[in-house]
Amino acid sequence: MWFLKYSRRLVLLQLLILQLSWLDSAAAKKDKPEISSYKFDNAPSNFFYFDDSNVILLHDREGGLVHRSEDAGKTWDRVDIKDGKPMDLWRHPHDNQKAYIMGRASTHWHTDNQGKTWQKFEIPDARPSLFRAPFAFHAENTDKVLIHGEICKVAGLIDCKEMTFYTKDGFKDVSILRENTRGCVFAHATPGFETGDDDKNDDRIVCVTTGRISFDPREHRLAVSDNYFKDEHEPLLEEDRTVQGIINIAVVKRYLVAAARAPNTDELAMYVTDDAKIWHRAVFPSNSRLKENAYTLLESTPYSIQVDVMTVDPPNPMGVLFTSNSNGTYFTKNIPYTNRNMHGIVDFEKVQGIQGVVMVNVVDNHDEVEGSFGREEKKLKSQISFNDGRSFKDLTTAKGESLHLHSVTEMNNIGRVFSSPAPGVVMGVGNTGKYLKDYEESDLYVSDDAGLTWTLALEEAHKYEFGDQGSILVAIYDEGLTDVIQYSLNHGRDWQEVDLPEGKIRAKALTTTPDSTSMKFFLWGTKREASKIEHWVFSIDFGDMHEDKCKEKDFEPWTARVDEDGKASCVMGRKQFYKRRRADAECFIREKDFEEIEPYFETCECTEEDFECDYNFVLSKDDKKCVPDGPLPDPKGACKGDHAKKYKASSGYRKIPGNMCEGGVNLEEEKERDCEDTLKPPVSGEINVKRTAFPGQSFRSYFYLERAESSSESSQDGKDETVVMRTDQSEIYISRDHGKTWDQQLKGKEIKDIYPHPHFNDVCYFVGTNKIVDYTINRGDTFSSFDAPLEPTRDENLPALGFHTDYKDWLIWTGAAGCDEEGGCHNNALYSTDRGGKWENLRRFVRKCEFIKEEGRGDKEKLVYCEQYKDEKLGGPLELQSSDNWFAKPKVHFNNIVDFATMSEFIIVATRDQSDGDSLKVDASVDGQTFADALFPSNVQVPIQKAYTVLDSHTHAVFLHVTVGNQKDAEYGSIVKSNSNGTSYVLSLDSVNRNTPGYVDFEKMLGLEGVALVNVVTNIEEAERGSGKKLKTMITHNDGAEWSLLKAPQKDPEGKTYECDTGNVADCSLHLHGYTERRDPRDVFSSPSAVGLMMAVGNVGEYLTTKSEKTSDTFITRDGGIEWHAVKKGNYMWEYGDQGSIIVIVRDTVSTDEIFYSLDEGETWTPYKFSSKKVHVAILSTVPSDNSRNFLLWGQEEDSDSEIVTFNLDFTQIEERQRQCHLNEADLEDPESDYYVWEPSHPSQNNNCLFGHVAQYHRKYPDRKCYNGRSIQQLHDIARNCECTRADFECDYNFEPAKDGSCKLVSGLEPPDHSKICKEDPKRISYFKPTGYRRVPLSTCEGGNELDKYEEVPCSGHEEEFEEKHRGLSGFWLFVLGVLLPVGLASAVGYWVWRNWDGNFGRIRLGEQGNAFDKDRPWIRYPIMAVSGVVAVLAAVPLLVGSLWRGVSGLFGASRGRYTTRGSFARGRGDYAVVDEDELLGEDDDEEV
């Protein structure tokens, strides 16, 4: 009995213990979340969670500290970083254990265990790049990382070289990947990208790099390597051509995207690959164009790219949303008028975790906004799509009211705006009504059916977050101070409040773990205590609340997408479902391992929506069916033979790759097709001619508005070759097909002048006799107009309109004022930033004003120079003034100038010498802010300097013609060449011919390095006595260092020998009529796209004779001017077509009915009769790029005095130009290739070395019967650098060439002081004493006879470093390691240096006044700019806006916090994370050049 009694008591005791335990446990559970707080000294500059953990890292940039929390922000520890100060903090996007701390110099740190421990790593001698994200990651092998850095010779941003480094072992070893990069990515940068089965493809890296011998952004290219750039190749992007002008690359889902831009346009080309091998150009509907800064790659799907293309320019930009097919090449329109901001961010978000659901904001009053230049406020409406953008509808509340939500363009928290991984639960801040109101007038709304219906959650705007897979919603008031947070446990239907422990704060950010599975939230806010701002972070923990863990009964099946009838809908062949917690379930999911809810699917039957157009097919114009994109390929010869009529082939459709549908419709079943579908239309085999007559007696002006190669309708495909023309009747005609058909525009208006925009070829202005200015921004598709503020200037030498290089809507108007008043007629300058919509005064009593922004000069956008009469008194001295704030605070640079000119990076000013008012002096600037005196060599004897002509500066040195003799009809001068800042000059050549207006017989060869021709006066004394000039032509092959006479051809055009001995070059050489004799300065010798070719008119003899039919012949050279050949007797005009594969010539000054053409670079010539009547041809023209197969003759028929005519000559149908030439960049020996590699050479050298290297250019075999088509990159490669020779050097300052070719010191002068470079570069250790030679800026020679190096001496204060550096080194290493070689940065190829006005070449006369020609305005016939085509340096700014990475202030210690997207922190991607969602292509980023 005692045993039973004892047992009974034992059971009671156990029950009591269990009951007490249960009571204790119940007492421990809470009915509210636990909130803890922690104060930081400074504002967090970055923080993020590690995925699937409660670990947070937080960076305090101002304090130079990194903090770590293991419990979601409840407690914090300082990360122990030694030997450095953290500059930034990055998380690896594909590895939840890894993060990186960037130092300010070359020392950095990484962690492999979520920040518990850190290891130091070094990037030798380099600091993180300021111009792009420092890291690029590999998605699978997370030990592989690319690092973008730069090495600067001088502290700050001066003289920096960008390069990329790599590690394959998690930073145990860091090596240089490649120099001169502009951003690199692993092809396998996202989990979905596939490069192939080969192991090497897993290491495939794609980089944007500089040009082969140029840093010009117009020559940036792609380079691809599979072995970390031990080898590399340039991929073929379009047809079989490489593409220059690459501005950015990005990896989005399973696509790699590159963007390219050509000069003189804001239109971009987009190239896509899904394997980093085969690229395609993205094709958009014909009425949609990709514009600079104006297309945004959005968060895409695994089976398509979504892009928003800007259609309305800032300041109120709008766009159109497009979606691609599965390989990312063909795009279809989804919805127009999408809302964008100035930075290219689009109101677009995919609902996370739900296939096919997209939310956008659109502009409802788009017609009013377009063209208002920001004056009309946008009225926004929110819309949603449940089928990947194929259709949209309004957001609505449960009551049926329209709802509008603030979206991505107006970020008020971090991370995604609306959604999280919580299935179907979305929130947003907005309002009901007709349009979206201000944020402060908005409320918080919630939807638990993926945005189908919405309900009011909380009044007023709140920041919000999702937790525990959507079972917990947290919000905090966001319109001011608050001391509470609110939360909901039933999908936002009911809310409860919890007090914050530190009183009222201003919420800054609210977030949680990236997958929203956690029950912990992180809040950062600020509060003011006295005069100090305190920064508090709060940990909000729901883990100890009394709700149980959910059981099976607490979940419900939920359909992710529904159609209009509420039924489950299909996307990519499947219906999507989730098992999620019921809204009214009183439980938490409580997944301890951060496990996310996975969807399950149901297969659908196939419908038409599951198919896309197959290869070689495109959507019809009505987007209803797939039609062939040209002739179809003949499958395996099925259509060979006379009786073949039908064959089996693609239906035109294919199932979208990855689509899971089964059964149902099958659109990809092969169909029977006609063999005629495989045939191209027959060609005539003839040149087609189209004559057009116009009333009038002469053509006054014409211009090509050529589409750039980034356009989908550029000249090489012949789709758009726009010409605009004005007759002597002041009538305007435009042709869109190169003169085949013409349309008269602006009828009834008398047009005085045409102003094509020099930097944007689509834009052209027409100034009439009244103050109405008409213009087109689309090459004549449509026209608009504005009222000019004043009548145009009456100064015949000045343009009325001035243009900005980057902003096509920014204008300066120079107008005549006071012409009817006593004060006299004078010029006033006004500016407009909205294309003439509104004008503001700039400066009164000016001669001229110009925008000064120029690529490479680092100018401020608003920098303007004006020549203003002092004290606004006509006739007084001209002041040179500048301002970067529209002259709110003008700066006077010079008090008495004659003129100024801008040329490439240089600003050259001619001022009156204060010591001698009759003489001039030159000052130069490269930054637009500070000027320095130009020092002329003493051997340029100019007692009184009267005039200068700026000749050329695109080789980073100014060629300046200094007038020595200015007697009328006997003018001549000396050509001097500057150093890199335009201030120190050496004599290049004297006695160079000049005419009375100031233009010079000087011409650079386009497309080839350092070749130029001049005419020199050989009888100066006789000419000054009135006997006439005797001219000889000379050529340089090394940028003016040496000049020689032109060797004459052996035979004349008729095969006869010349009367003089051509072996005696001094008395018998070739002489050419130059620039001073041209009617049209666009008629240059050479073409940038026909490398090596030049044509000219001249004669063989001792001197240049008068230009006439009897004494002049036409000549050609095919090797850059070394060897010349006679072409025809008499004077001919010429034009190059199809990059030189077609040359057309026609008689000049003599009526004719025939042309001659050559298809083999002038070896043979074929006559062609183009007219039944004799025509006096005034002009022969083609597109400025010389890449068309169409030409245009302008003239007047002999028997007509009231009509003028044009003849279009179309060579596209000739049999010899039906096949496109094949170029194999990878295999130059490919027998199928139509190109060979040509190496230009110096006539006195036998090793093909020019400027210290052997350059290799692509040239088409002259006998190949094919056309070039898209422009090829003529420069194939730099085969090697050469040893230095005399040809790589020119005479230094105060030295001159002796008779034996050496450089000798000018008698009585001192050598230049080379020690000054030590003051310019405080880090420099040594310099070389002057030898009399200085390196030609373009030369890249190495070793050999380095004439500029003889005795090396230490810079003052660096003697010990100098001794240490040279201790034990051989003499060779003394000069190799002791000095940084001055390598020229110029663009040698000059591919984008268009000819003359339509790009380009010209002369600037400084000094004497007077009109050069009566027929046309000098700014058109002789343009101000010598080299045009300023290109904004473009690079991607991932996610949101920014220019320099983290800002330059971050590098130099200033504190500046910036908060961008929720993805930056809560989703753990970092401010500039690897691109796996939004990416801007085309955003300007102030990159250095």
Side-chain angles (χ1 to χ4, degrees), residues 438-459:
D438 290 341
Y439 187 75
E440 289 74 17
E441 299 180 62
S442 302
D443 303 315
L444 179 63
Y445 287 82
V446 64
S447 169
D448 65 355
D449 53 13
L452 183 64
T453 57
W454 297 75
T455 57
L456 177 65
L458 293 169
E459 294 184 350

Side-chain angles (χ1 to χ4, degrees), residues 1315 1318-1319 1322 1324-1327 1353-1359 1361:
S1315 66
C1318 297
K1319 298 178 182 179
R1324 196 178 186 99
I1325 296 174
S1326 61
Y1327 66 94
V1353 293
C1355 291
S1356 177
H1358 291 275
E1359 289 79 6
E1361 295 172 78

